[in-house]
């Protein structure tokens, strides 16, 4: 039996140069892009340690980088590898694995985000804690979603979808409406995928962000100074 009723899983790719943050190339070198991915992951994990209402997991890829991911995500995070397949298949398999552990509510987020405000998770779990099938989605500025939460397995939600375009969120909401699933939307948030995203991150005035993104902001200041 799980310790808590809720689970929170972070989908993470090992920060290996040439395999992560490739949309930032050549604005950043492959090595700097990998260091950015590493910094974002470390900041996100440190930030999420404050959540006491959910068991914490990292679903990582690729499998051969398990030793590295264990270094980056120590306890209380529990690690397991992602499955093969497209994004939808991998998300569905993560939900299936955690519901099989008898969690009531499962939330999944990406690793390459500025730390998500903790009250968003409170809103997500409060909404999911109901008897009828429910989904919570956090829309991202690029047209996808940065967070998805379910209170039971819903494989149909992820089937016959295309990914990595600016209509993913809209298509998902439409599909859920067709399935008759009640859905709640969280406030919009953003990924760090492009040079414009980096500029927005650097210019945001947010004291909470400055506290929760020490690794990432230190790296960005270093990279900015190197360009001058």
């Amino acid at each position: 039996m799980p310790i808590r009723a809720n689970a929170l899983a972070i989908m993470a790719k090992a920060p290996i140069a040439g395999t992560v943050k490739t949309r930032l190339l050549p604005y950043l070198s492959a090595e700097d892009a990998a260091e950015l991915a590493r910094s974002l992951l470390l900041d996100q994990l440190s930030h999420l340690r404050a959540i006491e209402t959910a068991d914490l997991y990292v679903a990582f890829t690729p499998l051969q980088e398990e030793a590295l991911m264990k270094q980056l995500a120590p306890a209380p995070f529990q690690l397991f590898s992602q499955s093969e397949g497209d994004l939808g298949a991998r998300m569905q398999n993560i939900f299936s694995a955690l519901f099989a552990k008898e969690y009531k509510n499962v939330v999944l987020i990406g690793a390459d985000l500025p730390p998500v405000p903790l009250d968003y998770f409170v809103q997500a779990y409060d909404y999911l804690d109901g008897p009828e099938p429910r989904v919570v989605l956090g829309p991202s500025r690029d047209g996808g979603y940065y967070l998805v939460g379910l209170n039971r397995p819903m494989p149909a939600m992820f089937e016959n979808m295309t990914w990595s375009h600016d209509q993913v969120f809209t298509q998902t909401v439409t599909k859920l409406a067709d399935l008759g699933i009640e859905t709640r939307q969280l406030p919009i948030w953003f990924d760090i995928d492009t040079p414009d995203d980096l500029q927005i991150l650097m210019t945001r005035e947010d004291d909470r962000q400055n506290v929760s993104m020490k690794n990432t902001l230190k790296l960005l200041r270093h990279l900015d100074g190197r360009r001058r």
Side-chain angles (χ1 to χ4, degrees):
M1 291 290 290
I3 297 174
R4 299 171 179 83
N6 303 321
L8 170 62
I10 301 93
M11 290 187 77
K13 191 172 185 179
I16 305 299
T19 68
V20 291
K21 295 291 160 210
T22 54
R23 291 172 62 188
L24 286 167
L25 309 180
Y27 182 80
L28 296 181
S29 70
E31 291 74 19
D32 288 340
E35 185 58 32
L36 175 62
R38 178 181 179 276
S39 297
L40 285 166
L41 175 60
L42 289 175
D43 286 335
Q44 186 79 274
L45 296 176
S46 176
H47 177 67
L48 294 177
R49 287 174 182 271
I51 294 179
E52 298 180 346
T53 56
D55 290 340
L56 304 176
Y57 291 85
V58 174
F60 70 92
T61 187
L63 177 59
Q64 61 266 29
E65 298 298 339
E66 182 175 7
L68 171 60
M69 297 307 292
K70 284 182 177 178
Q71 292 177 11
L72 297 176
F77 292 93
Q78 303 174 61
L79 275 70
F80 64 95
S81 62
Q82 295 180 28
S83 68
E84 300 293 329
D86 68 7
L87 178 59
R90 288 183 284 123
M91 288 195 289
Q92 168 55 26
N93 285 330
I94 291 169
F95 279 113
S96 294
L98 293 176
F99 280 122
K101 294 178 179 288
E102 300 185 31
Y103 288 104
K104 289 179 58 180
N105 309 306
V106 179
V107 169
L108 177 60
I109 65 168
D112 54 350
L113 312 165
V116 177
L118 296 178
D119 63 294
Y120 291 10
F121 298 101
V122 174
Q123 294 177 49
Y125 288 120
D126 283 351
Y127 175 70
L128 292 173
D129 196 21
E132 64 280 351
R134 289 183 173 183
V135 174
V136 61
L137 291 170
S140 58
R141 195 183 62 237
D142 63 5
Y145 51 83
Y146 65 88
L147 179 152
V148 54
L150 312 178
N151 65 357
R152 65 199 62 193
M154 297 182 192
M157 175 181 172
F158 303 103
E159 294 172 350
N160 302 316
M161 289 284 293
T162 56
W163 306 97
S164 301
H165 58 83
D166 63 5
Q167 295 299 307
V168 169
F169 178 78
T170 299
Q171 290 180 2
T172 300
V173 170
T174 299
K175 173 171 275 195
L176 289 168
D178 291 342
L179 292 170
I181 305 298
E182 292 191 39
T183 307
R184 170 79 53 91
Q185 296 182 22
L186 296 175
I188 197 167
W189 201 241
F190 62 104
D191 301 334
I192 305 298
D193 287 325
T194 68
D196 286 345
D197 296 332
L198 286 178
Q199 292 302 317
I200 292 171
L201 185 63
M202 288 287 288
T203 57
R204 289 181 82 226
E205 296 292 335
D206 188 330
D207 291 338
R208 291 182 302 175
Q209 172 185 290
N210 293 337
V211 171
S212 61
M213 295 197 70
K214 292 180 179 178
N215 291 290
T216 302
L217 294 179
K218 180 180 178 180
L219 173 66
L220 293 180
R221 285 192 292 267
H222 170 72
L223 296 177
D224 188 54
R226 213 168 61 187
R227 288 176 177 273
R228 296 179 185 276

